[in-house]
Amino acid sequence: MSARGGRWGVSGLAVLAPLLVWLVADPLLGHRLRIVDGGQTLDIGVVAVGLAALLAVLAGWGLLAALERFGVRRARAVWTGVAVAVLAVSFLPLTGDGMNGGTRAVLALMHLAVAGVLVPGLRTKAVDAATVHRHGGQE
């Protein structure tokens, strides 16, 4: 499998992972994911979860590809550091008011699900691609 094909697979799994968390929490266990801000209530549905995950995946893959393309030394290490920092920052909104503990926990699990697939998955494929490129071989 090519590095690009592997990254597509990892990306698909990284989008699927939080959707599975949502599926268990909302329809199966009956916990509606809601955020209340003043008088407005935001229900977090499957489309919002999928789009948010897709945006995270595209941003992560794009940054890694740019670092590799421009020959940044230790691109994987730099990317991993940025990815972990972004994950940490993504928890900040979960500290605010407007959601109950169940919603907070499910959203945290979704963030971890995306990162848990994306970070090791894209790092691994980056290693394979770099090895093939350095040795001039084919996969």
Side-chain angles (χ1 to χ4, degrees):
M1 178 185 301
S2 71
R4 183 177 292 157
R7 286 183 176 174
W8 278 109
V10 166
S11 297
L13 289 175
V15 171
L16 182 63
L19 293 173
L20 292 174
V21 173
W22 178 87
L23 180 67
V24 169
D26 195 320
L28 293 179
L29 296 179
H31 180 77
R32 302 284 299 180
L33 301 179
R34 289 195 171 129
I35 299 174
V36 178
D37 185 18
Q40 295 188 9
T41 300
L42 172 66
D43 285 320
I44 301 171
V46 68
V47 173
V49 171
L51 287 176
L54 180 61
L55 287 174
V57 166
L58 292 175
W61 188 354
L63 176 60
L64 180 57
L67 291 170
E68 291 171 343
R69 168 98 175 145
F70 294 112
V72 172
R73 191 164 182 222
R74 301 193 57 196
R76 286 180 295 119
V78 170
W79 180 83
T80 302
V82 171
V84 170
V86 169
L87 174 63
V89 169
S90 79
F91 286 109
L92 290 178
L94 303 180
T95 63
D97 294 332
M99 67 186 91
N100 62 29
T103 296
R104 197 177 317 275
V106 171
L107 291 174
L109 283 173
M110 288 179 184
H111 289 217
L112 291 170
V114 172
V117 172
L118 195 64
V119 173
L122 288 187
R123 275 185 56 90
T124 300
K125 297 309 172 188
V127 171
D128 294 344
T131 302
V132 169
H133 181 69
R134 266 198 311 270
H135 298 299
Q138 302 210 7
E139 290 185 272

